[in-house]
Amino acid sequence: MKAIMVMFDSLNRRYLPQYGADWAELPNFARLQQRSATFDTCYAGSMPCMPARRELHTGRYNFLHRSWGPLEPFDDSIPEILKKNGVYTHLVTDHAHYWEDGGSTYHNRYSTYEFFRGQEGDLWKGHVADPEIPETVTWRSGDAWRQDWINRQYMQTTEEHSQFKTVEAGVGFIETNKSEDNWFVQIECFDPHEPFFSYDEHKARRPHAYDGPHFDWPDYRRVVEDEQTVDHVREEYNALVTFCDDSLGRVLDKMDEHNMWEDTMLIVCTDHGLMIGERGWYGKNIQPWYDESIHTPLFIYDPRSEQAGARRESLVQTVDFGPTLLGFFGVARTEDMQGKDLEPVIARDEPVRESGLFGVFGGHVCVTDGHVVYMRASADPQNQPLVNYTLMPMHMNQMFSVEELSKAELVEPLSFSKDVPVLKLPAGAWGSPTAFGTLLYNLDTDPDELDPLKDPGLELTMIRLMVKAMGEADAPAEQYARLGLPSLVDEVSEEHLLIEKQWAQVQQGLSSPVPAEDFPSDRIGVHTPLSVLMENPMAKEMLTKVLPFPPAVLSRLGGSTSLWKLSVMNPAMGADALRGLDGMLASVAAATPAPRNT
């Protein structure tokens, strides 16, 4: 038996013809649909990139216990379990987070691995001189932005691109080992994650008119651009999805060439989606995990049941992918795994789960039964208590600071830490989910999640489902306290309803940003870069009192980030708050020479 996983990053299902994009010409995704079972109710879990990969390895949620980070010493790794049970496991990828601090323990769990460099500001090619960067729509600046423009110089053709090289290596592994048995290869492409960097051959398949500045890397914020600009960046994404379709075709060709459908499982999946102007948002992480970013595409071919061209409605999640691989190779799950073997779903659409949790550390905690989605915000704007439980104190691209570690406690083992004590460290999040309020959607009547509900009876039902699922995930006590929930289903009552209490925030979260032209730009104010404001003693003292960010964070934002831009990123800073801040800064301006504005 053999298994192939083709994993794309940030693949929005709404850009695939199998999920409604009848305008998309993606012949290889069409081939895939005819060869596999297409899943209509697949949800991601722990968000975003590396937390999703930790789920893939461990078969359990992790966003309730810690933020982005490496595999823990006590984690069960499914690729490693397969390896120890005689299945050769190989990873090929251009996903640069694997060689950052926060992803550094994943790749060595495989028998072998290959990396390809250059994606999203990957610290690859060394240039002391700054690169030429064209005029652009994005607000991005800093090291990753600079490095990306250096890296692009070394990917002038499709064949030089890291996606092409990744798939070439995966196809090479298949060719080399086609006659061998008991192997699993994970062909993991960072695309179509932003930046949406592709080539003329891909863009030419969907030509469009655009005469504005360069734009293929949207910020994580609300949209303030015109319709033509939004349409353009969507077409840049479409072009990159076309590139991915070509890559998928090369894998399918190899399976056809060697008639591998007789004994080879194929899983084509993603970690999460992405918003590209939908609901007036770009990106992910800041806004709630709406359908576009959490409801994911999934295709599986299992040679045992040979289901091809079928649709599957049963609820499944990322945590189920690893246990499905274990089941395929006849290896038992560990007792700490929450994911389910999807064989019954693939073969006959037999449900294997009642509910699914999803969310990001410190954000909304969400639950769905496949028909209703409930996104619960923190009970108050402080979004506390929030703690990391870990033995690997690393953030995405840096270790925990000495200051963070000085507050660590060694506490009793978690239920899944193999009787090993863990560190407990105070944590924070970027903003508070209360800025968007608690949200409830009926997917049967509102599949696009456009009309949030106030339905106390339905909210109570979903709260009980959430508390039950959190209990099964061994959620820490701090998460129940942060959400204002009891830890026992029987204790849930009407006092735990939040939607009505947070309805004003729900409406604010759906609002459009305040137009930039509503504020003056010729004096100190909300258009003045924060880095400049923090150099002004009067402005710094005022801002540190009224903004929910420590001074160090405000100073780090730097570049051209202003209070107005911050309000575009986070609706917690609404129109009234922004006008109030501008009025306060006017008094600072009266005593200060005009600064440079951007």
Side-chain angles (χ1 to χ4, degrees):
M1 307 293 274
K2 312 172 183 70
I4 300 168
M5 175 181 285
V6 180
M7 184 176 186
F8 297 106
D9 194 301
S10 305
L11 183 58
N12 185 329
R13 73 200 291 269
R14 294 169 180 241
Y15 287 75
L16 301 180
Q18 293 80 5
Y19 296 101
D22 52 10
W23 42 264
E25 295 184 10
L26 301 171
N28 295 302
F29 274 100
R31 288 172 63 192
L32 175 65
Q33 180 182 12
Q34 294 305 311
R35 279 289 197 176
S36 65
T38 301
F39 288 73
D40 292 319
T41 318
C42 180
Y43 281 78
S46 302
M47 293 287 97
C49 301
M50 296 319 295
R53 282 152 184 80
R54 190 175 171 203
E55 283 193 353
L56 188 65
H57 276 252
T58 65
R60 66 175 298 119
Y61 307 115
N62 57 75
F63 75 98
L64 296 170
H65 293 88
R66 73 150 296 160
S67 55
W68 180 303
L71 282 174
E72 299 281 349
F74 49 77
D75 278 345
D76 298 319
S77 167
I78 286 161
E80 189 165 57
I81 291 170
L82 288 172
K83 179 172 66 174
K84 290 178 178 179
N85 282 272
V87 179
Y88 193 99
T89 58
H90 185 63
L91 170 69
V92 295
T93 186
D94 61 345
H95 191 103
H97 294 310
Y98 279 117
W99 47 92
E100 294 174 332
D101 293 322
S104 56
T105 57
Y106 292 83
H107 55 277
N108 276 314
R109 311 283 72 78
Y110 297 82
S111 305
T112 46
Y113 54 85
E114 296 177 76
F115 287 156
F116 299 92
R117 305 294 302 273
Q119 287 278 18
E120 197 202 20
D122 174 20
L123 302 177
W124 181 33
K125 297 295 186 179
H127 283 210
V128 176
D130 287 336
E132 291 187 15
I133 299 177
E135 178 189 0
T136 182
V137 173
T138 187
W139 297 351
R140 292 182 181 274
S141 61
D143 293 341
W145 174 247
R146 176 187 182 276
Q147 185 66 47
D148 188 70
W149 285 98
I150 294 170
N151 293 347
R152 292 188 193 208
Q153 299 174 38
Y154 295 87
M155 296 189 288
Q156 296 290 316
T157 67
T158 298
E159 291 73 19
E160 293 174 324
H161 194 284
S162 61
Q163 181 195 148
F164 185 92
K165 292 179 178 179
T166 295
V167 176
E168 191 72 4
V171 169
F173 177 90
I174 295 169
E175 177 63 32
T176 298
N177 298 286
K178 60 182 182 293
S179 300
E180 305 299 327
D181 199 15
N182 289 327
W183 54 256
F184 164 63
V185 61
Q186 183 173 327
I187 304 172
E188 184 179 333
C189 300
F190 189 66
D191 291 328
H193 192 290
E194 70 279 1
F196 308 144
F197 174 42
S198 65
Y199 300 89
D200 289 344
E201 65 182 275
H202 309 113
K203 300 177 194 294
R205 297 179 211 178
R206 278 186 59 86
H208 66 284
Y210 177 67
D211 56 6
H214 180 275
F215 190 31
D216 67 6
W217 194 348
D219 310 279
Y220 287 10
R221 59 170 171 84
R222 288 184 286 181
V223 174
V224 292
E225 289 73 35
D226 60 30
E227 185 176 345
Q228 184 195 47
T229 304
V230 176
D231 287 344
H232 168 70
V233 77
R234 285 174 175 162
E235 291 300 345
E236 293 289 85
Y237 181 80
N238 281 327
L240 191 53
V241 172
T242 297
F243 191 174
C244 295
D245 184 74
D246 289 350
S247 293
L248 174 62
R250 290 156 63 204
V251 177
L252 299 180
D253 288 346
K254 188 59 64 175
M255 293 186 70
D256 287 344
E257 179 184 349
H258 299 300
N259 194 26
M260 299 181 71
W261 303 99
E262 293 185 351
D263 64 353
T264 305
M265 173 175 279
L266 174 64
I267 302 174
V268 178
C269 60
T270 189
D271 51 356
H272 49 70
L274 189 74
M275 301 185 76
I276 316 167
E278 296 87 358
R279 306 170 192 270
W281 277 95
Y282 297 129
K284 58 183 186 291
N285 297 341
I286 297 174
Q287 66 273 43
W289 291 93
Y290 292 121
D291 188 83
E292 293 87 348
S293 53
I294 203 69
H295 190 180
T296 56
L298 176 64
F299 307 86
I300 302 180
Y301 173 77
D302 186 338
R304 295 170 297 181
S305 58
E306 297 184 322
Q307 290 294 322
R311 307 290 296 216
R312 293 292 178 255
E313 296 292 334
S314 298
L315 176 65
V316 302
Q317 286 198 280
T318 305
V319 289
D320 302 324
F321 299 171
T324 300
L325 286 167
L326 291 178
F328 179 70
F329 285 107
V331 179
R333 293 183 300 156
T334 70
E335 62 182 14
D336 290 327
M337 291 181 184
Q338 298 167 296
K340 311 295 184 183
D341 183 350
L342 297 180
E343 187 275 332
V345 185
I346 300 166
R348 51 194 175 275
D349 207 7
E350 178 182 311
V352 293
R353 57 171 54 253
E354 175 187 29
S355 66
L357 288 172
F358 59 89
V360 66
F361 181 77
H364 287 82
V365 173
C366 312
V367 68
T368 184
D369 60 2
H371 299 278
V372 177
V373 166
Y374 181 58
M375 307 181 188
R376 189 174 179 94
S378 53
D380 58 59
Q382 285 68 43
N383 197 27
Q384 289 292 331
L386 189 62
V387 297
N388 272 307
Y389 287 96
T390 182
L391 287 175
M392 298 292 290
M394 299 179 188
H395 296 300
M396 182 171 74
N397 50 22
Q398 62 187 12
M399 299 183 203
F400 277 37
S401 68
V402 172
E403 181 182 2
E404 288 175 292
L405 291 172
S406 69
K407 300 172 184 175
E409 304 174 60
L410 190 65
V411 298
E412 292 295 314
L414 303 171
S415 65
F416 53 89
S417 67
K418 314 293 192 288
D419 297 322
V420 177
V422 296
L423 292 175
K424 175 182 175 180
L425 301 102
W430 175 252
S432 171
T434 56
F436 298 88
T438 293
L439 300 164
L440 179 69
Y441 295 100
N442 185 331
L443 303 180
D444 292 335
T445 58
D446 181 24
D448 295 327
E449 297 178 353
L450 299 177
D451 298 310
L453 299 174
K454 275 197 292 187
D455 185 330
L458 185 57
E459 185 181 4
L460 267 180
T461 297
M462 297 308 291
I463 291 173
R464 292 188 177 104
L465 190 64
M466 175 176 287
V467 170
K468 180 181 178 183
M470 289 175 64
E472 292 169 349
D474 300 303
E478 292 85 0
Q479 289 287 0
Y480 293 101
R482 182 177 75 95
L483 299 172
L485 288 174
S487 59
L488 299 176
V489 174
D490 290 345
E491 295 178 0
V492 173
S493 68
E494 291 184 357
E495 70 178 282
H496 300 112
L497 297 172
L498 266 189
I499 292 176
E500 181 66 42
K501 297 174 184 177
Q502 297 182 346
W503 193 248
Q505 292 98 310
V506 171
Q507 298 307 308
Q508 178 176 277
L510 299 174
S511 65
S512 299
V514 184
E517 54 270 21
D518 282 11
F519 302 97
S521 58
D522 58 353
R523 62 160 173 82
I524 287 180
V526 296
H527 287 305
T528 304
L530 281 167
S531 56
V532 175
L533 291 178
M534 296 304 287
E535 293 171 358
N536 183 298
M538 289 177 61
K540 181 177 181 180
E541 181 181 5
M542 183 198 75
L543 293 177
T544 52
K545 287 180 179 178
V546 300
L547 291 181
F549 309 109
V553 171
L554 293 173
S555 297
R556 276 203 308 270
L557 287 170
S560 64
T561 302
S562 64
L563 290 168
W564 176 78
K565 288 184 176 179
L566 203 59
S567 76
V568 174
M569 298 175 190
N570 191 336
M573 191 181 295
D576 291 342
L578 198 60
R579 291 188 179 97
L581 286 168
D582 196 62
M584 296 169 71
L585 288 169
S587 63
V588 177
T592 309
R596 59 188 185 276
N597 283 327
T598 300

